[in-house]
Amino acid sequence: MIIAIDGHSSCGKSTIAKALAKKLNFTYVDTGAMYRAVTLFCLQNSLITNDVVDETALESRLHEVQISFVKNADVQETYLNGVNVEREIRSMTVAQHVSTVSKIGFVRAFLVKKQQEYGENASVVMDGRDIGTKVFPNADYKFFVTASAEIRAQRRYDELMQKEGKANYEEILENLKQRDYADSTRKESPLKQADDAILVDTSNMTREGQLEWILNKIQ
Ligand code: DC
């Protein structure tokens, strides 16, 4: 079974998807982490200058990018070429360049193929932007999650404060709005609600409420 969860940046998709996967005993695949890992690879190898990607170099080196997910103490973490990069891929530097990297057609084709392979081998809950429209158009269930930009920025701010002890609300809000715009206006697989996806507005829902609401729809 495939459950697709798409939606805007920082709307709580991954929290919902993780909880759902745990409850149903499915594999959880965080496709945003995969785009973030490719972005980190570009930064590590100086393939981005002034937010412009050296696409020729990236295309010839993409085969060097090995992404995997490992469960450490019940928390799924992202590895790039065998190194745990979970913290680095959530940094503001990666967030500021990930839209530029994720609009490149060959990067999307490379990651979509890997995402489809996950779905061939197991029941999955997959979250992203194009899961219900492009990766698994025939997914068993499709949800499109959103919340107001201000609420999403506040949640992200609280999360960063808790993890890093410092954050800037205005910078986060601006970055969210820019990513919303870039994600929904790009040529390749723009973020959009699939016609058959169920809309979930989490602005006024607690985490428990969101999970219960989705489980009710599935049951
Ligand atoms: O879900 P996230 O915020 O971690 O995703 C990071 C970026 O990756 C997001 O700005 C857009 C891109 N992305 C994408 O283009 N397609 C996906 N399926 C998942 C993420």
Side-chain angles (χ1 to χ4, degrees):
M1 189 192 280
I2 311 273
I3 302 179
I5 304 198
D6 290 304
H8 291 105
S9 298
S10 299
C11 62
K13 286 187 309 289
S14 64
T15 310
I16 296 178
K18 270 182 222 158
L20 200 58
K22 193 168 178 184
K23 185 98 188 164
L24 301 172
N25 207 13
F26 284 12
T27 302
Y28 164 57
V29 183
D30 177 353
T31 65
M34 299 170 85
Y35 287 95
R36 286 171 182 268
V38 175
T39 306
L40 181 63
F41 176 84
C42 292
L43 291 168
Q44 285 172 340
N45 292 284
S46 309
L47 301 180
I48 303 179
T49 317
N50 297 328
D51 208 30
V52 176
V53 181
D54 180 343
E55 294 193 23
T56 312
L58 177 59
E59 193 165 18
S60 69
R61 296 191 59 181
L62 207 51
H63 66 276
E64 292 173 33
V65 177
Q66 299 283 344
I67 301 166
S68 52
F69 296 108
V70 176
K71 232 178 189 169
N72 296 319
D74 211 30
V75 179
Q76 185 167 300
E77 298 188 310
T78 312
Y79 282 63
L80 172 62
N81 295 332
V83 178
N84 186 338
V85 291
E86 187 57 37
R87 233 183 107 176
E88 275 174 283
I89 60 166
R90 310 286 165 198
S91 67
M92 274 312 283
T93 317
V94 169
Q96 275 155 356
H97 296 291
V98 67
S99 289
T100 308
V101 173
S102 59
K103 69 177 186 223
I104 302 173
F106 64 78
V107 171
R108 302 203 70 83
F110 173 76
L111 293 179
V112 166
K113 189 163 167 275
K114 294 205 176 305
Q115 292 154 11
Q116 288 170 337
E117 282 164 12
Y118 278 114
E120 278 163 20
N121 302 322
S123 283
V124 296
V125 179
M126 192 171 284
D127 81 41
R129 303 292 188 289
D130 58 344
I131 313 305
T133 52
K134 169 92 187 186
V135 184
F136 292 113
N138 298 320
D140 300 273
Y141 292 95
K142 296 181 187 177
F143 295 95
F144 190 86
V145 190
T146 191
S148 77
E150 287 72 19
I151 286 183
R152 288 185 279 137
Q154 186 64 48
R155 288 181 185 156
R156 185 85 189 107
Y157 172 85
D158 293 342
E159 194 184 314
L160 274 177
M161 281 304 277
Q162 203 188 15
K163 276 196 202 150
E164 311 282 335
K166 63 177 189 332
N168 178 327
Y169 175 83
E170 290 304 328
E171 190 184 34
I172 294 169
L173 181 62
E174 191 49 37
N175 174 258
L176 273 187
K177 287 184 176 168
Q178 277 172 8
R179 281 203 286 145
D180 284 355
Y181 180 76
D183 292 347
S184 36
T185 54
R186 71 175 172 229
K187 231 170 69 209
E188 293 276 343
S189 312
L191 166 68
K192 92 182 220 317
Q193 183 178 349
D195 293 338
D196 51 351
I198 302 169
L199 182 69
V200 192
D201 186 334
T202 66
S203 300
N204 298 308
M205 282 183 180
T206 61
R207 285 186 174 181
E208 296 73 29
Q210 295 165 18
L211 180 63
E212 210 177 291
W213 195 91
I214 289 187
L215 275 172
N216 269 338
K217 291 280 174 203
I218 294 173
Q219 274 150 13

